[in-house]
């Protein structure tokens, strides 16, 4: 059986949808639940972290927050940033770090709101690590009201923990009557239905599953959930021999759904249970052309000849078993090759080669997967959560390695920058130092002080001439000199004396009139001088500091850069080693999963052979009793 | 070892489907064969080995994160030292009267950033995120910062509005926030420029 890459991509998407959907009751609320509490941002860099976080760029958000905390840029959001940091570590799979942070928060002096949120997150860390008892203990410590999204998530997490521990009655008690956000209700109802059915409370369980199965779904995820509920409901009815109701539920599963194959198989079994084998053949024959990797399709290859057998069409039954044997053999052969390839690292290598190693872009471009028979087995492998966890580690490590590689290139540039700055400094230093040395700040300060004192004296003695312009001063001095001239005292110089007195009076009048304004102007100029002097002092201090510190700072940068380079190299080695171990583990998991597939097919093969032998035995026995009719032979 | 949550869900669902399907089937050779869902033993928790590897990976990731933090600090200190550093941020609240498309930023009449926002980024802004649109260096003294916001205003009309601020760059780093906010009284967006210490 061969498939186009596009078709294979679709199949893999379906497989991932199955895996994702299985955890959807957890995943969907978890994402909303980690939103930090709303409120105005009081530190820009805290908001900047949120900007990354809200775009699901968790690595960037984590790095930015670590840097911001390190240099005191989020002091106004201390407790929130601690909670956010814990949440980001949790997202990034750093459970130990996350737990440390929440533990630390809980031992410190924090507000009851922060305390409740810390207990919630601590419970969630434990839940994600599978420590369900401890998770429930932490959830029980949540004393007050949580923010709305966390409040809604809490019962879901409690119920999941209880279900994981097999305490379905307690899980049902938590979920029953729960009024969560609209988008979450179908997940809760589905979980509740499962819990009830597992408890043997069939009516309660089917009621919940039926509600989900009939709900109007607005998203692809909810459509998948609805199909999944109908599938579970259908099989639950089949168990109770309610074949008609089973058929109705199973027929609600979309033909394009990841659950369609199992639904078609179930519809067939519902018909078969009513001994309507002709009707059962319709869904089963539809299945036989689908991908043989699906267990429902594999089973249909045995169910079809079984139905023919029940319809007394033994020839068709024998042919059906024979073609099943051929199909199983071919598939087992392909599986053997895939197992060999997986064992040699080909399968995983192919998967990782198609991956985008960039940080923050955790997706697979499924259509770009290697176009080989082996790739079609990936979806069975990927559906295993251990594989997903391991793959996530490999991808995280690959992304970190790429990231470090980028830093390594940047560090080379930083080194060049430091060298260039050092050269530039060395070139400018003599001129720079000479300039600095030329500036005599104490002398400037003394001149300013003298000016200030002079102005104070003028003001104290109210000396309008002290503020005269150069022309006025010249005129004043000349008039004073004339006044001191002995000739002016001559009795014949009365006219001159009058003119001198008049001119002196006019000048004094003018100076006195301008005095206040001029004093104000001078005071203002002095204040401006003070400002300029202060700026010059700051500039001078800065320049002097730069002259003193720059060489040491540049040396410091060079030391830091040269110290980081070997650390990057050591880490690259450690990453490569850890990645190798992870890949080996993935390889072993892939081989294990494929062997399970092979073993199941081998079992089916034995069953087909046995059924075929039984048909031949019966035919041989009846041939001994009576010769076959013409029609039987031709069939 | 505990089970992974994803598996618990899967197990619960598949056990219902798988278990009931085998009961519902007639007792034939074909029907006796298990109908597909992943066998339960495979769903049981990880091996000890995987736990160890996972812990090692966690430690390693932590070390890389720490180094990454150091590198960021080094980069900022080297390229944008505090005495010349200027960072400009964009924030937004409500967004009822303005749907942001882009922000152009000029400092002393020189264009320094022209940022086109994606829907995802606008959504992050509306939820309280703050975008650092520019990080650069300026000499001490007075500078003029001009931001032009484009987008759709009330009644989905194209909207373009500018805001200017004179900033005094001192010795320490200077942070400026460009804030887009809704002014309910006028049913109009409002563009504010704020200096942070």
């Amino acid at each position: 059986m061969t498939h186009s890459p596009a078709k294979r991509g679709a199949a893999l998407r379906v497989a991932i949808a199955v895996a994702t959907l299985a955890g959807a009751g957890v995943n969907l609320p978890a994402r909303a639940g980690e939103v930090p509490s709303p409120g105005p941002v009081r530190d820009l860099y805290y908001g900047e972290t949120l900007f990354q976080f809200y775009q699901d760029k968790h690595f960037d958000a984590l790095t930015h927050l670590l840097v911001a905390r390190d240099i005191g840029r989020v002091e106004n959001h201390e407790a929130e940033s601690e909670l956010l940091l814990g949440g980001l570590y949790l997202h990034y799979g750093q459970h130990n770090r996350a737990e440390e942070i929440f533990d630390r928060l809980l031992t410190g002096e924090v507000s009851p709101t922060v305390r409740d949120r810390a207990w919630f997150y601590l419970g969630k860390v434990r839940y994600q690590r599978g420590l369900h008892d401890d998770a429930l203990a932490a959830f029980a410590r949540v004393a007050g009201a949580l923010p709305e999204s966390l409040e809604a998530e809490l019962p879901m997490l409690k119920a999941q923990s209880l279900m994981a521990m097999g305490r379905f009655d307690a899980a049902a008690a938590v979920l029953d009557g729960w009024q969560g956000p609209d988008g979450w209700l179908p997940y809760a109802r589905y979980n509740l239905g499962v819990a009830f059915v597992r408890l043997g409370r069939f009516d309660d369980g089917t009621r919940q599953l039926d509600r989900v199965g009939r709900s109007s779904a607005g998203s692809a995820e909810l459509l998948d959930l609805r199909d999944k509920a109908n599938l579970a409901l259908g099989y639950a009815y089949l168990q109770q021999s309610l074949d008609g109701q089973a058929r109705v539920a199973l027929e609600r599963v979309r033909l394009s759904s990841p659950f369609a194959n199992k639904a078609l198989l179930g519809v067939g079994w519902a018909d078969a249970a009513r001994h309507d084998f002709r009707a059962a053949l319709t869904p089963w024959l539809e299945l036989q052309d689908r991908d043989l990797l699906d267990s429902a399709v594999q089973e249909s290859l045995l169910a079809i000849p079984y139905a023919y057998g029940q319809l007394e069409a033994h020839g068709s039954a024998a042919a059906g078993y024979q073609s099943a044997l051929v199909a199983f053999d071919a598939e087992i052969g392909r599986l053997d090759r895939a197992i060999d390839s997986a064992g040699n690292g080909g399968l995983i290598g192919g998967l990782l080669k198609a991956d985008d190693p960039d940080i923050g872009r955790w997706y697979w471009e499924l259509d770009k997967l290697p176009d080989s028979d082996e790739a079609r087995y990936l979806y069975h492998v990927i559906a295993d959560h251990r594989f997903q966890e391991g793959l996530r580690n490999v991808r995280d490590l690959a992304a970190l390695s790429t990231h470090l590689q980028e830093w390594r290139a940047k560090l080379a540039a930083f080194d060049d920058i430091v060298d260039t700055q050092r050269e530039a400094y060395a070139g400018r230093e003599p001129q720079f130092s000479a300039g600095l040395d030329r500036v005599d700040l104490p002398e400037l300060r003394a001149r300013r002080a003298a000016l200030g004192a002079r102005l104070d004296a003028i003001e104290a003695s109210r000396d309008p001439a002290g503020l005269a312009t150069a022309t006025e001063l010249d005129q004043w001095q000349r008039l004073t000199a004339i006044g001191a001239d002995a000739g002016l005292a001559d009795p014949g110089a009365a006219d001159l004396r009058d003119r001198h007195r008049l001119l002196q009076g006019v000048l004094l009048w003018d100076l006195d009139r301008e005095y206040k304004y001029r004093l104000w102007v001078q005071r203002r100029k002095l204040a401006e001088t003070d400002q300029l002097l202060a700026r010059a002092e700051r500039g001078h201090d800065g320049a002097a500091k730069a002259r003193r510190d720059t060489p040491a700072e540049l040396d410091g940068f060079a030391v830091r850069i040269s110290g980081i380079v070997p650390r990057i190299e050591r880490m690259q080695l450690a990453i490569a080693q850890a990645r190798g171990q992870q890949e080996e583990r993935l390889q072993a998991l892939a081989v294990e999963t494929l062997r399970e597939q092979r073993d199941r097919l081998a079992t089916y093969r034995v069953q087909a052979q046995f059924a075929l032998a039984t048909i031949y035995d019966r035919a041989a026995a009846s041939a001994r009793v009576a010769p076959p009719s013409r029609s039987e032979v031709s069939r | 070892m505990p089970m992974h949550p994803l598996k618990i869900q899967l197990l619960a669902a598949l056990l219902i489907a798988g278990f009931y399907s085998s009961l519902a089937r007639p007792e034939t050779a074909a029907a006796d064969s298990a109908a597909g869902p992943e066998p339960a033993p495979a769903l049981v928790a990880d091996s000890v080995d995987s736990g160890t590897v996972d812990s090692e990976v966690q430690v390693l990731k932590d070390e890389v994160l720490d180094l990454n933090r150091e590198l960021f600090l080094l980069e900022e200190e080297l390229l944008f030292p505090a005495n010349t550093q200027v960072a400009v941020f964009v924030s937004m609240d409500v967004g009822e009267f303005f749907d942001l498309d882009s922000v152009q930023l000029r400092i002393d009449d020189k264009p320094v950033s022209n940022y086109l926002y994606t829907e995802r980024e606008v959504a992050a802004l509306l939820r309280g995120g703050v975008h650092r649109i520019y990080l650069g260096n300026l000499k001490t003294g007075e500078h003029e910062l001009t931001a032009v916001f484009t987008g759709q205003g009330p009644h989905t009309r194209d909207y373009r509005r500018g805001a200017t601020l004179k900033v005094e760059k001192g010795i320490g780093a200077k942070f400026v926030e460009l804030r887009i906010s809704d002014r309910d009284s006028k049913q109009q967006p409002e563009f504010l420029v704020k200096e942070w210490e």
Side-chain angles (χ1 to χ4, degrees):
Chain A
M1 200 180 289
T2 56
H3 297 268
S4 69
K7 222 171 172 182
R8 238 177 333 94
L12 282 164
R13 264 189 213 98
V14 166
I16 288 165
V18 175
T20 309
L21 183 66
V26 181
N27 290 346
L28 188 73
R31 191 170 159 156
E34 278 165 22
V35 172
S37 70
V41 167
R42 297 185 301 278
D43 284 313
L44 288 171
Y45 277 93
Y46 180 69
E48 209 256 333
T49 301
L50 292 182
F51 185 68
Q52 310 290 346
F53 172 73
Y54 289 140
Q55 293 177 72
D56 293 333
K57 294 180 175 174
H58 298 120
F59 182 82
D60 291 340
L62 191 51
T63 306
H64 287 216
L65 185 57
L66 285 170
V67 171
R69 282 165 59 87
D70 214 41
I71 47 180
R73 284 174 174 168
V74 288
E75 283 168 345
N76 293 309
H77 290 276
E78 207 177 328
E80 289 107 318
S81 69
E82 188 89 343
L83 272 177
L84 180 59
L85 188 64
L88 285 167
Y89 273 128
L90 194 57
H91 246 298
Y92 198 54
Q94 300 292 88
H95 295 115
N96 296 338
R97 280 294 229 162
E99 185 152 0
E100 264 172 42
I101 286 171
F102 297 130
D103 273 339
R104 192 166 65 223
L105 263 176
L106 286 166
T107 51
E109 286 288 317
V110 288
S111 69
T113 329
V114 170
R115 183 171 293 272
D116 281 340
R117 280 156 67 196
W119 277 121
F120 170 86
Y121 284 124
L122 191 59
K124 192 166 170 175
V125 177
R126 292 169 177 175
Y127 162 76
Q128 289 192 355
R129 300 173 82 174
L131 306 170
H132 298 292
D133 255 335
D134 296 337
L136 288 168
F139 291 142
R141 299 289 298 268
V142 176
L146 289 167
E148 196 183 346
S149 56
L150 303 190
E151 186 76 42
E153 189 181 359
L154 185 60
M156 291 285 281
L157 290 174
K158 279 185 187 170
Q160 302 284 8
S161 282
L162 289 165
M163 284 172 71
M165 294 164 72
R167 292 170 56 188
F168 295 101
D169 48 349
V174 170
L175 287 176
D176 205 7
W178 174 59
Q179 295 296 319
D182 282 352
W184 295 11
L185 272 175
Y187 292 92
R189 284 207 182 100
Y190 177 82
N191 289 342
L192 186 57
V194 170
F196 279 140
V197 174
R198 296 285 299 272
L199 276 173
R201 289 163 64 177
F202 178 79
D203 289 342
D204 290 333
T206 51
R207 196 176 307 117
Q208 295 293 339
L209 290 172
D210 193 53
R211 284 186 74 176
V212 183
R214 289 175 189 279
S215 61
S216 56
S219 66
E221 273 185 349
L222 285 175
L223 279 169
D224 284 345
L225 182 71
R226 191 175 70 186
D227 288 335
K228 188 174 173 179
N230 281 320
L231 184 72
L233 185 64
Y235 278 102
Y237 281 134
L238 280 176
Q239 186 208 16
Q240 299 290 316
S241 302
L242 299 169
D243 308 315
Q245 282 157 280
R247 208 175 198 287
V248 171
L250 292 169
E251 280 178 345
R252 287 201 298 248
V253 176
R254 291 164 304 147
L255 274 177
S256 57
S257 152
F259 307 99
N261 291 350
K262 286 187 176 60
L264 285 167
L265 187 71
V267 168
W269 285 123
D271 291 332
R274 295 200 316 272
H275 299 284
D276 188 350
F277 293 101
R278 203 168 292 279
L281 276 171
T282 308
W284 288 345
L285 287 168
E286 159 67 28
L287 269 178
Q288 74 169 353
D289 292 329
R290 296 191 172 209
D291 192 342
L292 193 57
L293 277 177
D294 192 296
S295 58
V297 177
Q298 293 164 4
E299 190 169 337
S300 76
L301 293 186
L302 296 177
I304 292 164
Y306 164 75
Y308 281 132
Q310 295 298 311
L311 291 168
E312 300 292 327
H314 298 298
S316 297
Y321 283 124
Q322 273 165 342
S323 66
L325 280 172
V326 171
F328 291 151
D329 282 344
E331 194 62 24
I332 285 171
R334 280 192 289 267
L335 269 166
D336 282 339
R337 285 194 293 279
I339 289 167
D340 282 348
S341 171
N344 298 329
L347 197 64
I348 308 303
L351 178 64
L352 295 173
K353 218 181 286 173
D355 194 22
D356 183 340
D358 284 356
I359 289 264
R361 275 185 268 165
W362 306 117
Y363 62 83
W364 292 309
E365 292 188 59
L366 297 170
D367 293 344
K368 291 183 186 165
L369 280 173
D371 186 16
S372 67
D373 268 349
E374 294 148 15
R376 55 194 283 268
Y377 294 105
L378 282 173
Y379 91 98
H380 268 297
V381 177
I382 291 170
D384 187 318
H385 97 279
R386 293 171 301 172
F387 192 86
Q388 288 172 33
E389 290 287 304
L391 193 58
R392 186 196 153 137
N393 274 339
V394 171
R395 306 171 88 233
D396 279 355
L397 291 171
L400 287 174
S401 174
T402 308
H403 201 67
L404 287 181
Q405 224 171 306
E406 285 166 8
W407 273 119
R408 183 71 189 80
K410 274 190 186 177
L411 281 174
F414 291 171
D415 224 8
D416 289 346
I417 289 171
V418 171
D419 284 346
T420 311
Q421 284 187 358
R422 206 180 257 143
E423 276 173 33
Y425 177 79
R428 283 201 312 261
E429 202 275 336
Q431 194 188 348
F432 179 58
S433 290
L436 264 180
D437 295 341
R438 263 200 310 276
V439 177
D440 189 353
L441 273 175
E443 196 266 340
L444 281 174
R445 273 195 293 271
R447 279 167 61 192
R448 186 266 168 230
L451 265 175
R454 201 171 135 200
L455 207 58
D456 290 345
I458 288 168
E459 193 175 8
S461 59
R462 208 182 185 286
D463 173 18
L467 297 172
T469 63
T471 314
E472 289 165 345
L473 195 62
D474 178 54
Q475 288 168 348
W476 183 257
Q477 281 167 350
R478 281 163 59 196
L479 281 169
T480 307
I482 290 168
D485 194 315
L488 200 67
D490 190 274
D495 190 36
L496 270 176
R497 276 197 301 277
D498 284 347
R499 284 181 66 189
H500 176 259
R501 198 175 54 248
L502 181 67
L503 284 172
Q504 203 170 29
V506 168
L507 188 57
L508 200 59
W509 173 269
D510 285 346
L511 286 173
D512 198 59
R513 191 186 57 199
E514 293 291 319
Y515 170 76
K516 278 193 174 172
Y517 173 71
R518 286 180 176 175
L519 185 65
W520 176 79
V521 168
Q522 290 308 318
R523 286 278 179 217
R524 200 184 59 180
K525 282 185 176 168
L526 200 62
E528 283 169 6
T529 308
D530 284 343
Q531 279 180 2
L532 288 171
L533 198 57
R535 191 184 284 179
E537 280 172 344
R538 279 200 304 272
H540 186 271
D541 289 351
K545 187 176 179 301
R547 178 168 62 171
R548 193 178 60 240
D549 298 345
T550 300
E553 275 173 8
L554 291 172
D555 287 347
F557 280 128
V559 168
R560 278 163 77 183
I561 292 167
S562 63
I564 285 175
V565 171
R567 277 175 70 192
I568 289 186
E569 277 156 14
R570 271 200 306 276
M571 265 177 211
Q572 288 284 32
L573 278 177
I575 287 173
Q577 199 179 355
R579 192 176 158 175
Q581 284 174 348
Q582 276 288 353
E583 283 183 22
E584 272 174 30
R585 194 171 150 254
L586 288 180
Q587 209 168 298
L589 274 172
V591 170
E592 185 187 318
T593 311
L594 294 174
R595 282 210 176 113
E596 280 164 8
Q597 288 285 315
R598 193 196 183 286
D599 291 348
R600 186 165 58 206
L601 277 175
T603 308
Y604 284 162
R605 195 184 180 288
V606 170
Q607 287 166 357
Q609 270 180 320
F610 179 76
L612 192 59
T614 309
I615 289 172
Y616 286 149
D617 281 351
R618 277 187 198 144
S622 52
R624 279 196 294 275
V625 175
S629 67
R630 186 183 296 267
S631 63
E632 187 64 26
V633 169
S634 65
R635 191 186 295 157
Chain B
M1 284 286 283
M3 281 194 280
H4 187 277
L6 195 101
K7 278 296 166 197
I8 294 156
Q9 278 277 40
L10 191 61
L11 183 59
L14 294 181
L15 278 183
I16 283 188
F19 177 55
Y20 297 144
S21 68
S22 66
L23 280 182
R25 274 174 268 140
E27 291 186 5
T28 63
D32 281 344
S33 55
E38 269 58 61
L43 303 177
V44 179
D46 287 358
S47 64
V48 175
D49 172 52
S50 73
T52 315
V53 173
D54 191 58
S55 299
E56 281 171 16
V57 171
Q58 277 199 49
V59 171
L60 193 55
K61 278 163 81 176
D62 205 44
E63 283 175 21
V64 179
L65 277 168
D66 197 45
L67 180 62
N68 199 45
R69 179 186 55 79
E70 275 183 50
L71 285 160
F72 258 88
L73 284 171
L74 172 70
E75 184 178 43
E76 188 174 315
E77 285 170 33
L78 181 65
L79 303 183
F80 310 102
N83 54 352
T84 55
Q85 189 185 110
V86 172
V88 182
F89 298 83
V90 174
S91 70
M92 200 169 174
D93 72 1
V94 193
E96 204 179 315
F97 305 128
F98 188 68
D99 189 6
L100 178 67
D101 277 341
S102 69
V103 176
Q104 293 101 44
L105 184 68
R106 300 172 78 86
I107 295 180
D108 298 330
D109 218 25
K110 278 188 207 141
V112 293
S113 179
N114 192 348
Y115 199 89
L116 199 60
Y117 286 88
T118 63
E119 271 181 40
R120 201 175 166 82
E121 287 169 333
V122 171
L125 286 174
L126 289 172
R127 291 173 73 187
V130 178
H131 173 227
R132 190 175 70 186
I133 190 173
Y134 175 70
L135 178 66
N137 294 301
L138 278 184
K139 285 182 184 170
T140 52
E142 196 180 79
H143 299 274
E144 189 182 72
L145 189 147
T146 306
V148 177
F149 304 85
T150 51
Q152 289 200 318
H155 314 296
T156 63
R157 279 192 306 237
D158 286 347
Y159 205 97
R160 188 178 161 89
R161 184 71 73 84
T164 300
L165 177 76
K166 285 212 186 304
V167 292
E168 177 69 30
K169 173 74 184 73
I171 291 173
K174 168 72 77 186
F175 303 128
V176 178
E177 181 185 6
L178 309 173
R179 183 161 188 74
I180 305 164
S181 128
D182 281 352
R183 193 191 285 173
D184 288 328
S185 58
K186 290 194 172 176
Q187 303 273 298
Q188 289 285 330
E190 188 175 30
F191 302 90
L192 307 166
V193 187
K194 180 186 168 187
E195 283 184 72
W196 287 65
E197 289 308 317

